[in-house]
Amino acid sequence: MFKLCCKITCVVALISLNSVSAQDSLRVEKFNVLALRVQKMMSKKGHSLEHLTVVHRQLKEFSDVDPERYKSISEQRISYNLSERIRYINVKSKAYDLQQALVSMAILKQEKPQNEMVQALETKTKSKAQKVLLKNLTEKQVNYTFEPAISLYTLGKPPSEFAFFNSPGMDVMFSLAGYKTFNLRPSKKIGAKQNYVFSQAGLKVDYFYGMLIPQLSTMFTQTSGIDLGYAFNFGNKETEVDFYSINISAYYPMDILSIGLNARILSDFKENHFLHYGISLKYNLKLGPKVTDAELKSIENNIENINIPALQ
């Protein structure tokens, strides 16, 4: 009887040991699967931090399997979380979603007030917000523009001989224009950045190939224009007569710069008629009332209170 009990006890113990060994093996396997999953998620930008947190919590349940590896993965997760939150704020700031950028920045700063990267990001984010709000304000009040430009024009050919890709040569043209703006109105809006469009009327002076060309100039919605003037010839090699000038232009505005195409007719309304065309790059200096101290203070308060107003 005693021998039978011993045999039964040994069998039960063996079964128990096998069961514990099997459970340990399953825990090791589960730990390795979850560890690889967490590391794979952290290997790429843009992974959901909430999803990563859930998987990391599951991994924590098996942390006793390999405490050192769990500790290393946890440290990587902390670093990954910070870099992703910084990236998110930068993305929102670049997209001019300033409200969300400042909210996320405030939460991160509250959690990590002494972190140097967070402090630098706060300065950068608030500076971007201030520039955008200040630009919204100044763009809304543009009264005048001052526009120097440089162009590359073909030399003139009689219209009867004109061929777009066949010209007698090219030369550089320098221009200077001053305009009064009118019909200013809001155009496209990107996040908190409000763009405005306006038309212009003023004076323009071109210097090209020995000719000085003062003109009356108009621009419509900053994209198309017509210039009417008179070309004083001080050394044109083709002819020595002066010309009436008509220039038609089409521009693509890019904030402070615009790139455009131009076509000009020079004629004395007698025997001399010339057509030439070119490409231009101009700088748009916009002038308006000076921003007051009260307006600057209001912008600062809005940023501190995370209240980004929409300008119309």
Side-chain angles (χ1 to χ4, degrees):
M1 185 69 181
F2 177 74
K3 290 183 178 180
L4 180 61
C5 290
C6 287
K7 288 181 180 180
I8 293 173
T9 302
C10 288
V11 171
V12 171
L14 184 61
I15 292 173
S16 298
L17 286 173
N18 287 337
S19 177
V20 170
S21 177
Q23 289 179 2
D24 288 343
S25 178
L26 287 173
R27 286 178 62 81
V28 170
E29 182 180 355
K30 188 68 173 178
F31 176 86
N32 289 331
V33 169
L34 291 171
L36 288 174
R37 187 176 176 187
V38 170
Q39 289 176 318
K40 184 176 181 181
M41 293 171 71
M42 294 189 298
S43 66
K44 296 180 181 179
K45 295 178 179 179
H47 233 102
S48 168
L49 296 182
E50 290 80 7
H51 187 199
L52 178 61
T53 299
V54 170
V55 179
H56 184 263
R57 285 174 181 168
Q58 294 173 349
L59 178 64
K60 185 179 180 180
E61 298 176 9
F62 304 90
S63 59
D64 58 305
V65 172
D66 191 341
E68 288 299 320
R69 187 179 178 191
Y70 173 77
K71 180 181 178 182
S72 175
I73 290 174
S74 297
E75 290 173 351
Q76 292 176 36
R77 174 177 166 267
I78 292 172
S79 177
Y80 179 82
N81 278 8
L82 178 59
S83 65
E84 279 298 290
R85 292 175 71 180
I86 289 174
R87 189 182 70 84
Y88 175 83
I89 292 169
N90 280 325
V91 168
K92 290 297 180 180
S93 184
K94 288 180 181 178
Y96 301 103
D97 189 354
L98 303 181
Q99 186 80 24
Q100 187 58 56
L102 290 171
V103 168
S104 299
M105 184 69 251
I107 296 171
L108 184 57
K109 179 65 184 302
Q110 188 175 21
E111 294 175 7
K112 301 181 182 293
Q114 304 303 322
N115 188 287
E116 293 183 359
M117 289 192 298
V118 173
Q119 292 173 352
L121 181 63
E122 181 187 33
T123 300
K124 177 182 175 183
T125 305
K126 288 186 175 180
S127 177
K128 174 67 174 290
Q130 185 177 38
K131 288 179 181 178
V132 172
L133 296 181
L134 183 60
K135 190 172 180 62
N136 284 351
L137 188 60
T138 56
E139 291 274 324
K140 188 181 181 181
Q141 304 179 86
V142 173
N143 288 332
Y144 300 93
T145 63
F146 184 70
E147 301 181 358
I150 185 169
S151 310
L152 188 63
Y153 263 79
T154 63
L155 301 181
K157 293 186 66 173
S160 59
E161 301 176 13
F162 177 74
F164 191 81
F165 293 105
N166 183 16
S167 72
M170 306 189 79
D171 202 359
V172 176
M173 183 176 76
F174 299 97
S175 305
L176 188 63
Y179 296 102
K180 175 71 174 74
T181 64
F182 61 94
N183 196 26
L184 186 148
R185 62 187 186 277
S187 61
K188 65 180 180 179
K189 185 177 181 181
I190 306 172
K193 181 184 179 183
Q194 176 69 69
N195 294 304
Y196 294 86
V197 67
F198 49 79
S199 297
Q200 303 154 271
L203 299 175
K204 180 181 178 184
V205 178
D206 295 335
Y207 181 79
F208 175 71
Y209 205 57
M211 292 180 290
L212 186 67
I213 315 172
Q215 300 149 93
L216 295 175
S217 179
T218 55
M219 290 291 298
F220 303 99
T221 65
Q222 299 174 264
T223 58
S224 58
I226 184 168
D227 309 321
L228 302 175
Y230 194 75
F232 296 96
N233 194 339
F234 297 109
N236 190 307
K237 299 176 182 178
E238 298 181 56
T239 176
E240 295 182 356
V241 300
D242 298 333
F243 301 98
Y244 293 96
S245 170
I246 302 176
N247 185 74
I248 298 174
S249 58
Y251 279 93
Y252 178 72
M254 302 176 292
D255 198 7
I256 63 172
L257 295 176
S258 295
I259 187 169
L261 298 174
N262 296 266
R264 168 173 273 139
I265 295 178
L266 296 172
S267 175
D268 62 0
F269 291 106
K270 295 179 182 178
E271 300 178 352
N272 298 290
H273 315 283
F274 296 98
L275 176 65
H276 61 125
Y277 53 91
I279 185 170
S280 301
L281 179 68
K282 69 177 180 178
Y283 176 74
N284 308 313
L285 177 61
K286 301 171 185 178
L287 305 173
K290 184 179 179 180
V291 178
T292 66
D293 291 339
E295 289 170 328
L296 287 174
K297 186 64 176 178
S298 177
I299 289 174
E300 292 174 2
N301 289 337
N302 285 334
I303 293 172
E304 287 302 319
N305 296 325
I306 314 180
N307 176 33
I308 306 301
L311 287 181
Q312 298 296 331

